[in-house]
């Protein structure tokens, strides 16, 4: 990974009172304490971590001392305490009528107060709470999570930026089970073409693809989807290609943001006219590649040029145009397996645009090697097409294998983009999804521009910095004061993703220390390159640092200390 490095020397120690006064000053980006509470960090003794009788006795003694210190800080400053934590020297208090700024001024002269921070609601990172994305699946490779595909396609980081709200995906398919708990809240419209009852599905195929595109996420129930909270227009088709054209046209008339088509085998007319109409009205077109490496065949029993039997995909990405920059009518999607390479059954021609996960492995003798999604409750004409399974006690789920499963996942990514950039041209959405896929600007290996990366695609649409900076303490010198030497790395925006994203710059570096194997405490922060730290005698210290950038991305704490001294 390419990085631009900046070396900072961090020097050691000043009086507690001066440090407390400095740290009590407001920070530019402090969020408002919506809870009406603040956290006051107080200098208290480090508690021993040993388990011997002597260490435990000393632990209780020092914890009692810490509680006494907290109590004295509370009483002399008239604080209204919500909770206290003697182990780490923390108080949660009401900010009072003067607000956070006034509280900081009041506490600035207290030599024991190290910092005053807003006590804000915790922000959970998605990981939604749907069962299949939070629990292992015995049928998944290496007993991975049930929805390993969403994790590997960058769903969680993408959902930090967009949850698909307000975007609509039209599913031109066999209908959908409108009573399914993971679909019903997401269906915003339905119509049938050449058949009836659009919110029923005797085949199961449409129910499965709808769940992959916009299955209701974070509802504590079954599955999540890449589109998370996007809306579904169910365009149920009968058995004729003209029905497909009618469904596409209806979606275009609704100005659906994305049209997902996990189907094929049609001649040009009337499909191409419907596709051209939908594309001209701004819909992002996503079509399945064939479930054969080099497809051919006949239409209506008559032998044609193989391309004439492969619509809609042949119009969306004509054969030979896959590697061509600027050929961006839409996206033709092939199927990748768990390791990111093309599934052997899936199309590998130059008609392919990108890939998404459509199988767990090349062993497709059972549906359990497929992708997990929603399935009708009953009435499916051939339940063996999808391997019905139970998720959290409910059997309305199944595994299916194919490019049909990959396609709606790409539609979900397009919905995430359209949610935050509703006016972005459909051709630009297509370009971003190609450019941010796993091949990083190269084409080949049967998966086109690579496996989709939802996080990078949405970040590119927003031109957002999503990568945390990095830092580490490379050495700790002694005398006359403790000197810590840090190295701060800013991520090269071209390395973690494929599109150059902005680098917001490091805002500050937080430095933590542990004495004699105890808990880590923050000993200071630096934004100008200097931090003063006064070590206590006869103590062995371990140090690490955490960098935070101006976009709010925070480096993860390391598993081991950067340096010990």
């Amino acid at each position: 990974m390419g990085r631009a490095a900046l070396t900072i020397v961090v020097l050691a120690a000043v009086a507690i009172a001066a440090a407390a006064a400095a740290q009590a000053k407001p920070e530019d980006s402090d969020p408002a304490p919506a809870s009406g509470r603040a956290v006051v960090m107080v200098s208290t003794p480090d508690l021993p971590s040993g388990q011997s009788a002597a260490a435990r006795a000393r632990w209780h003694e020092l914890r009692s001392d810490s509680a006494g210190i907290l109590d004295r800080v509370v009483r002399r400053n008239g604080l209204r305490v919500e909770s206290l934590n003697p182990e780490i020297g923390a108080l949660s208090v009401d900010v009072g009528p003067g607000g956070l700024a006034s509280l900081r001024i009041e506490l600035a002269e207290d030599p024991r107060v190290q910092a005053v921070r807003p006590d804000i609601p915790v922000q959970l990172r998605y990981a939604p709470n749907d069962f299949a994305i939070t629990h292992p699946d015995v049928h998944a490779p290496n007993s991975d999570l049930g929805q390993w595909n969403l994790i590997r396609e960058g769903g969680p980081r993408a959902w930090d930026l967009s949850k698909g709200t307000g975007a609509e995906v039209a599913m031109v398919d066999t209908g959908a089970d409108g009573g399914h708990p993971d679909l019903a809240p997401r269906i915003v419209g339905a119509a049938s073409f050449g058949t009836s009852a659009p919110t029923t599905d005797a085949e199961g195929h449409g129910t499965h693809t709808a769940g992959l595109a916009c299955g209701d996420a974070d509802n504590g129930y079954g599955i999540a989807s890449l589109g998370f909270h996007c809306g579904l227009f169910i365009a149920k088709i009968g058995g004729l290609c003209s029905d497909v054209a009618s469904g596409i046209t209806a979606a275009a008339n609704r100005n659906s943001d994305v049209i997902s088509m996990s189907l094929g085998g049609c001649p040009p007319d009337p499909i191409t006219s419907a596709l051209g109409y939908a594309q001209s009205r701004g819909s992002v077109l996503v079509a399945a590649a064939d479930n054969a490496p080099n497809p051919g065949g006949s239409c209506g029993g008559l032998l044609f040029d193989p391309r004439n039997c492969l619509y809609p995909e042949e119009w969306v990405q004509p054969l030979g145009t896959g590697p061509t920059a600027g050929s961006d009518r839409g996206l033709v999607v092939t199927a990748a397996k768990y390791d990111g390479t093309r599934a052997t059954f899936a199309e590998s021609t130059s008609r392919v645009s990108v890939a998404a996960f459509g199988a767990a492995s090349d062993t497709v003798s059972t549906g359990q090697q497929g992708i997990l999604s929603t399935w009708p409750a009953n009435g499916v004409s051939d339940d063996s097409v999808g391997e019905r399974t139970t998720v959290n006690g409910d059997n309305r789920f199944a595994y299916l294998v194919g490019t049909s499963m990959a396609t709606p996942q790409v539609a979900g990514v397009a919905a995430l983009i359209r949610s935050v950039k509703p006016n972005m041209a459909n051709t630009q959405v297509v370009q971003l999804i190609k450019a941010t896929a796993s091949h990083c600007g190269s084409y080949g290996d049967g998966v086109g521009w690579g496996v989709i990366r939802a996080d990078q695609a949405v970040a590119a649409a927003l031109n957002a910095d999503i990568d945390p900076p990095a830092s580490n303490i490379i050495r700790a010198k002694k005398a006359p004061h403790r000197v810590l030497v840090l190295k701060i790395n800013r991520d090269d925006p071209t390395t973690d993703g494929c599109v150059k994203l902005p680098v917001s710059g490091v805002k500050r570096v937080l430095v933590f220390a542990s004495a004699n194997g105890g808990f880590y405490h923050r000993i200071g922060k630096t934004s100008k390159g200097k931090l003063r730290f006064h070590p206590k005698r006869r103590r062995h210290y371990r140090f690490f640092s955490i960098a935070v950038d101006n976009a709010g991305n925070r480096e993860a704490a390391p598993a081991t200390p950067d340096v010990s001294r």
Side-chain angles (χ1 to χ4, degrees):
M1 180 176 288
R3 297 181 184 274
L6 172 65
T7 299
I8 295 182
V9 178
V10 181
L11 301 174
V14 292
I16 292 175
Q23 291 191 7
K25 293 178 181 178
E27 294 187 38
D28 296 342
S29 64
D30 272 346
S35 62
R37 288 160 63 173
V39 173
V40 180
M41 296 304 300
V42 177
S43 175
T44 56
D46 293 329
L47 304 187
S49 59
Q51 296 301 313
S52 68
R56 294 302 299 167
R58 183 62 174 158
W59 186 93
H60 285 288
E61 178 185 348
L62 291 177
R63 186 186 184 280
S64 178
D65 291 346
S66 296
I69 292 169
L70 292 180
D71 182 62
R72 288 190 291 275
V73 169
V74 169
R75 283 188 286 108
R76 68 173 167 253
N77 293 290
L79 300 177
R80 294 170 293 279
V81 177
E82 296 289 340
S83 65
L84 55 83
N85 190 333
E87 285 82 354
I88 62 173
L91 296 166
S92 181
V93 304
D94 284 339
V95 296
L100 187 65
S102 177
L103 181 63
R104 279 179 164 148
I105 293 171
E106 291 174 15
L107 296 178
E109 300 304 318
D110 192 316
R112 282 285 181 180
V113 174
Q114 295 180 312
V116 181
R117 301 279 185 259
D119 196 359
I120 63 174
V122 65
Q123 183 180 34
L124 302 178
R125 294 296 187 193
Y126 282 85
N129 61 14
D130 306 273
F131 189 88
I133 203 170
T134 56
H135 288 71
D137 183 353
V138 295
H139 303 304
N142 305 317
S143 294
D144 204 338
L145 297 175
Q147 291 192 282
W148 55 267
N149 51 305
L150 303 188
I151 305 296
R152 295 167 74 85
E153 289 165 351
R157 286 211 302 176
W159 299 328
D160 283 337
L161 301 174
S162 172
K163 293 185 175 65
T165 306
E168 180 177 295
V169 177
M171 305 301 300
V172 182
D173 215 305
T174 62
D177 180 358
H180 198 292
D182 267 338
L183 297 181
R186 304 266 56 88
I187 295 175
V188 296
S192 57
F193 306 94
T195 183
S196 60
T199 53
T200 63
D201 182 15
E203 305 296 327
H205 189 274
T207 298
H208 200 271
T209 58
L212 288 168
C214 301
D216 197 23
D218 207 28
N219 63 354
Y221 169 62
I223 64 160
S225 66
L226 269 186
F228 208 87
H229 280 162
C230 53
L232 289 165
F233 171 57
I234 305 301
K236 183 176 180 178
I237 57 171
L240 299 176
C241 291
S242 60
D243 301 332
V244 175
S246 297
I248 294 169
T249 302
N253 287 337
R254 289 177 58 90
N255 296 311
S256 292
D257 293 284
V258 190
I259 302 177
S260 182
M261 300 163 283
S262 289
L263 44 80
C266 289
D269 296 324
I271 296 288
T272 57
S273 297
L275 291 168
Y277 176 68
Q279 208 270 345
S280 71
R281 290 181 63 86
S283 296
V284 178
L285 305 178
V286 186
D290 203 284
N291 284 313
N294 294 287
S298 62
C299 297
L302 299 175
L303 188 62
F304 283 94
D305 181 329
R307 288 175 292 180
N308 286 343
C309 307
L310 289 168
Y311 290 85
E313 65 164 307
E314 173 60 24
W315 189 90
V316 172
Q317 188 79 75
L319 185 66
T321 67
T324 305
S327 180
D328 298 315
R329 285 176 172 173
L331 296 160
V332 170
V333 185
T334 196
K337 56 184 188 289
Y338 186 82
D339 65 4
T341 63
R342 181 183 60 85
T344 55
F345 63 80
E347 183 170 348
S348 62
T349 70
S350 57
R351 192 183 286 109
V352 169
S353 308
V354 293
F357 293 108
S361 71
D362 284 328
T363 304
V364 294
S365 57
T366 67
Q368 290 177 352
Q369 288 298 313
I371 303 300
L372 180 65
S373 187
T374 44
W375 197 244
N378 48 47
V380 178
S381 59
D382 184 2
D383 225 6
S384 66
V385 172
E387 185 79 13
R388 187 183 289 275
T389 191
T390 297
V391 174
N392 199 22
D394 192 322
N395 73 345
R396 286 174 287 182
F397 299 91
Y399 304 93
L400 265 72
V401 169
T403 59
S404 284
M405 286 58 259
T407 300
Q409 295 175 69
V410 178
V413 177
L416 292 180
I417 295 173
R418 274 287 174 86
S419 174
V420 292
K421 289 288 185 179
N423 296 321
M424 180 175 283
N426 50 7
T427 52
Q428 189 175 357
V429 175
V430 169
Q431 290 164 11
L432 284 179
I433 292 174
K434 289 180 179 179
T436 55
S438 62
H439 278 0
C440 292
S442 65
Y443 185 96
D445 297 331
V447 292
W449 297 98
V451 178
I452 55 168
R453 283 289 305 272
D455 52 347
Q456 296 293 330
V458 178
L462 291 170
N463 197 32
D465 178 3
I466 62 171
D467 293 319
S471 66
N472 64 289
I473 302 171
I474 59 177
R475 64 182 180 272
K477 298 180 180 179
K478 288 185 176 180
H481 304 292
R482 181 76 63 184
V483 178
L484 306 178
V485 180
L486 280 76
K487 183 178 181 181
I488 301 174
N489 299 308
R490 292 173 172 81
D491 286 337
D492 183 335
T494 64
T495 55
D496 191 34
C498 302
V499 169
K500 186 174 181 180
L501 298 174
V503 174
S504 59
V506 176
K507 180 177 182 180
R508 60 183 177 268
V509 178
L510 312 178
V511 180
F512 295 81
S514 163
N516 295 335
F519 291 108
Y520 280 95
H521 295 269
R522 198 183 87 182
I523 60 173
K525 63 181 179 180
T526 178
S527 59
K528 298 181 180 179
K530 291 184 179 180
L531 173 73
R532 288 171 287 192
F533 167 62
H534 184 64
K536 297 179 181 179
R537 297 182 63 186
R538 295 189 298 276
R539 293 200 176 188
H540 179 79
Y541 287 91
R542 297 178 297 176
F543 303 94
F544 70 83
S545 62
I546 291 177
V548 181
D549 68 19
N550 286 299
N553 299 307
R554 181 184 176 102
E555 179 185 10
T560 58
D562 291 339
V563 70
S564 300
R565 179 65 67 186

